[in-house]
């Protein structure tokens, strides 16, 4: 037995390529796949327990691979004569304990699957949710397979479960006005609760994941539209997504109030790496009546940006506690300069997680803010106005505002939409 399950998870593409290499050498690998759903959220100890059971109950020289989608593969070159009923029974016990511990998840009816490669390649493809048709390996095919695998592994429900909604609030003297909300997927929550064993292996795969999540966020936003409109909805996207057929179909299918009230945000890193495509994307979105913003701008980066050359409707600058450090004067003055140039609520200070960020931003001429402190502040207002019977505290209402899944669970469809005026703090 080869204990690969204790190592890093193997990508689907690399696993399939290893099977192809065996077949090319005249071998016909036999394999078994444990179809473990991502919602079971197995930990390292659980995978180690599975490996130990495999060592005791499966044939010798069986190699164990923990796959990136949570499944576990067992591969051997020779015949498979052992009775595997005991092994499957033990796996059921392990997974039942996981469900009892986590309080959620299910064991699929097709938990244990046996294949012979390449004879059963199409059946294996169906289980893994990919195309494994025989072809020469190339970067293009690997990327295509990765995208297809992610689309199958990351469900829309998982993205909704990981979805976050952050308020964008303008402070003007005694008035506090909600300008809209940013909707995004929390990668930390998605990884922890839905893709616990998933590992990325380079910037190319990160880009593919980002684009797949863009597609899923569009699906989630469309499904939530009836409950969140009218509101100004900000969506983070890759430039490549905006140029894709998927985005074109999204615009065509959901034209109307959703599109009229939408703003698209591109990260500064994505824009700089694809500047000409970025400018084309801005022009395309403006032609549709969609606002465009440049996101994730750091305070030091302000010194290198020319605001007059950015064809965007707003910018989002990340608050940094280091503004109170040794270079406070230079950084503060640059932020003040940008706040004056991007007047009319066009500069948004993000990641404002403390009252200090709000107060210092206001002192430098910033009027619009976003962050956990702003969300927590809204909890009190929501608590006073929300009519849902299950509400219990300012904190609970703030969480409902922040996590749509909590609002759905509590039976609450209420949140402050764009244009809501708040009383003075």
């Amino acid at each position: 037995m080869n204990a690969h399950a204790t190592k890093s998870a193997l990508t689907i593409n690399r696993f399939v390529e290893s099977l192809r290499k065996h077949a090319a050498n005249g071998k016909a690998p036999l394999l078994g796949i444990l179809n473990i759903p991502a919602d079971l959220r197995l930990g390292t100890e659980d995978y180690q327990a599975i490996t130990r059971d495999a060592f005791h109950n499966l044939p010798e020289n069986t190699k164990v691979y923990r796959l990136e989608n949570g499944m576990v593969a067992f591969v051997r070159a020779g015949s498979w004569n052992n009775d595997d009923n005991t092994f499957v029974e033990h796996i059921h016990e392990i997974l039942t304990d996981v469900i009892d511990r986590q309080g959620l998840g299910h064991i699929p009816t097709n938990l244990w699957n046996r294949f012979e490669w390449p004879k059963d390649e199409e059946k294996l493809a169906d289980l893994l949710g990919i195309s494994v048709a025989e072809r020469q390996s190339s970067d293009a095919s690997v990327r295509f397979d990765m995208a297809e695998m992610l689309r199958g592994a990351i469900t829309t429900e998982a993205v909704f479960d990981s979805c976050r909604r952050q308020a964008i609030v303008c402070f003007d003297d005694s008035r506090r006005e909600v300008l809209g909300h940013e909707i995004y997927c929390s990668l930390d929550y998605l990884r922890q609760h839905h893709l616990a064993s998933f590992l990325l292996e380079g910037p190319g795969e990160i880009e593919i994941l980002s684009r797949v999540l863009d597609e899923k966020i569009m699906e989630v936003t469309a499904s939530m539209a009836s409950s969140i409109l009218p509101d100004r909805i900000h969506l983070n996207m890759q430039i490549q997504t905006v140029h894709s057929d998927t985005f074109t179909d999204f615009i065509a299918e959901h034209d109307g109030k959703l599109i009229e009230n939408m703003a698209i945000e591109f990260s500064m890193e994505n824009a700089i790496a694809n500047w000409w495509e970025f400018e084309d994307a801005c022009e395309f979105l403006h032609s549709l009546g969609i606002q465009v913003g440049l996101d994730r701008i750091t305070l030091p980066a302000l010194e290198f940006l020319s605001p007059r050359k950015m064809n965007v409707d707003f910018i989002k600058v990340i608050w940094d506690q280091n503004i109170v450090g040794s270079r406070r004067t230079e950084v503060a003055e640059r932020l003040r300069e940008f706040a004056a140039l991007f007047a009319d609520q066009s500069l948004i200070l993000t990641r404002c997680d403390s009252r200090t960020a709000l107060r210092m931003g206001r002192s430098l001429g910033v009027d619009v803010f976003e962050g956990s402190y702003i969300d927590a502040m809204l909890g009190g207002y929501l608590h006073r106005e929300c009519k849902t019977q299950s509400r219990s505290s300012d904190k609970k209402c703030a969480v409902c505002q922040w996590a749509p899944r909590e609002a759905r669970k509590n039976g609450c469809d209420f949140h402050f939409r764009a244009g809501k005026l708040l009383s003075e703090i």
Side-chain angles (χ1 to χ4, degrees):
M1 183 67 63
N2 191 321
H4 281 71
T6 60
K7 298 181 180 180
S8 299
L10 186 67
T11 66
I12 300 295
N13 289 309
R14 292 194 176 184
F15 174 64
V16 173
E17 285 301 319
S18 69
L19 295 177
R20 289 195 182 120
K21 289 179 180 178
H22 281 297
N25 293 329
K27 301 176 182 178
L30 300 176
L31 59 149
I33 302 286
L34 281 175
N35 180 23
I36 300 177
D39 62 1
L40 282 179
R41 307 179 188 177
L42 268 64
T44 302
E45 298 81 3
D46 301 315
Y47 283 109
Q48 290 174 344
I50 290 173
T51 303
R52 286 195 297 269
D53 267 324
F55 180 84
H56 291 298
N57 294 284
L58 297 184
E60 293 184 4
N61 299 319
T62 298
K63 294 184 178 180
V64 184
Y65 300 93
R66 178 163 62 93
L67 305 181
E68 61 190 347
N69 61 356
M71 297 182 183
V72 183
F74 305 86
V75 183
R76 61 177 282 100
S79 60
W80 195 317
N81 298 321
N82 292 44
D83 182 1
D84 48 29
N85 289 333
T86 301
F87 171 68
V88 176
E89 290 175 2
H90 288 177
I91 299 304
H92 264 279
E93 294 175 2
I94 293 173
L95 299 185
T96 301
D97 290 340
V98 171
I99 293 174
D100 291 339
R101 183 175 72 238
Q102 300 282 9
L104 76 171
H106 70 285
I107 301 176
T109 55
N110 62 333
L111 173 64
W112 178 242
N113 305 267
R114 291 274 295 274
F115 303 103
E116 179 179 349
W117 183 274
K119 176 182 176 182
D120 298 322
E121 62 178 319
E122 292 301 327
K123 294 179 181 178
L124 177 62
D126 290 340
L127 182 66
L128 297 179
I130 62 170
S131 171
V132 293
E134 197 70 43
R135 61 182 180 271
Q136 292 295 320
S137 177
S138 65
D139 290 344
S141 66
V142 170
R143 288 194 172 205
F144 175 78
D145 285 348
M146 171 63 75
E148 289 303 307
M149 184 280 296
L150 286 172
R151 290 186 184 98
I154 305 175
T155 65
T156 302
E157 185 63 26
V159 174
F160 177 82
D161 192 39
S162 310
C163 188
R164 299 293 177 262
R165 174 177 57 200
Q166 284 204 297
I168 302 171
V169 179
C170 176
F171 289 73
D172 180 15
D173 296 329
S174 62
R175 290 203 320 169
R176 313 302 189 241
E177 180 181 356
V178 177
L179 301 183
H181 290 82
E182 176 183 350
I183 294 179
Y184 65 95
C185 178
S186 169
L187 286 177
D188 287 341
Y189 190 92
L190 182 70
R191 175 182 290 279
Q192 181 178 356
H193 296 288
H194 297 283
L195 294 173
S197 63
F198 185 80
L199 295 175
L200 296 173
E201 298 190 343
E205 294 184 0
I206 295 175
E207 178 184 334
I208 294 171
L209 173 63
S210 298
R211 293 182 62 178
V212 170
L213 288 179
D214 286 349
E215 297 173 8
K216 298 293 184 177
I217 282 292
M218 283 188 277
E219 293 178 14
V220 169
T221 303
S223 68
M224 295 168 55
S226 60
S227 63
I228 62 180
L229 290 175
D231 197 355
R232 170 67 64 180
I233 303 301
H234 289 237
L235 299 180
N236 291 283
M237 281 194 186
Q238 294 284 301
I239 293 169
Q240 294 81 356
T241 301
V242 170
H243 291 303
S244 69
D245 292 338
T246 303
F247 184 77
T248 301
D249 293 341
F250 172 72
I251 295 297
E253 183 178 354
H254 302 288
D255 195 10
K257 289 296 182 182
L258 178 59
I259 304 304
E260 292 173 9
N261 291 279
M262 184 180 295
I264 300 296
E265 301 176 2
F266 299 120
S267 71
M268 185 178 69
E269 301 94 323
N270 191 217
I272 291 175
N274 307 274
W275 189 260
W276 302 118
E277 292 183 2
F278 166 66
E279 291 192 332
D280 289 343
C282 291
E283 183 177 351
F284 170 61
L285 291 171
H286 283 149
S287 71
L288 298 172
I290 298 176
Q291 288 193 347
V292 185
L294 194 59
D295 189 16
R296 294 175 62 179
I297 301 174
T298 62
L299 287 171
L302 290 178
E303 298 185 42
F304 302 96
L305 295 178
S306 173
R308 295 175 178 84
K309 292 185 178 181
M310 292 187 290
N311 183 28
V312 294
D313 301 288
F314 60 91
I315 63 172
K316 301 181 80 170
V317 180
I318 300 173
W319 162 255
D320 187 349
Q321 188 66 31
N322 291 329
I323 195 174
V324 301
S326 59
R327 299 185 61 224
R328 172 177 177 174
T329 302
E330 296 92 330
V331 174
E333 287 306 312
R334 187 59 171 168
L335 181 59
R336 188 192 304 275
E337 178 184 349
F338 264 73
L341 290 170
F342 282 85
D344 301 325
Q345 306 171 351
S346 295
L347 187 148
I348 304 170
L349 196 62
T350 67
R351 301 187 191 177
C352 297
D353 301 332
S354 67
R355 186 171 181 82
T356 301
L358 176 61
R359 296 179 64 180
M360 180 156 282
R362 292 284 291 137
S363 71
L364 294 173
V366 180
D367 296 327
V368 187
F369 301 84
E370 177 184 5
S372 62
Y373 177 78
I374 306 301
D375 291 323
M377 180 196 74
L378 283 181
Y381 295 109
L382 287 164
H383 187 197
R384 287 195 291 271
E385 297 193 26
C386 183
K387 306 303 181 183
T388 303
Q389 294 296 318
S390 60
R391 76 185 192 280
S392 60
S393 65
D394 295 359
K395 183 177 180 181
K396 185 173 183 178
C397 285
V399 172
C400 281
Q401 145 78 28
W402 177 67
R405 62 178 169 80
E406 291 297 321
R408 186 172 71 177
K409 184 175 70 174
N410 295 329
C412 180
D413 59 359
F414 174 74
H415 77 281
F416 289 146
R417 294 168 176 82
K420 171 65 179 180
L421 295 178
L422 307 174
S423 59
E424 186 174 2
I425 299 177

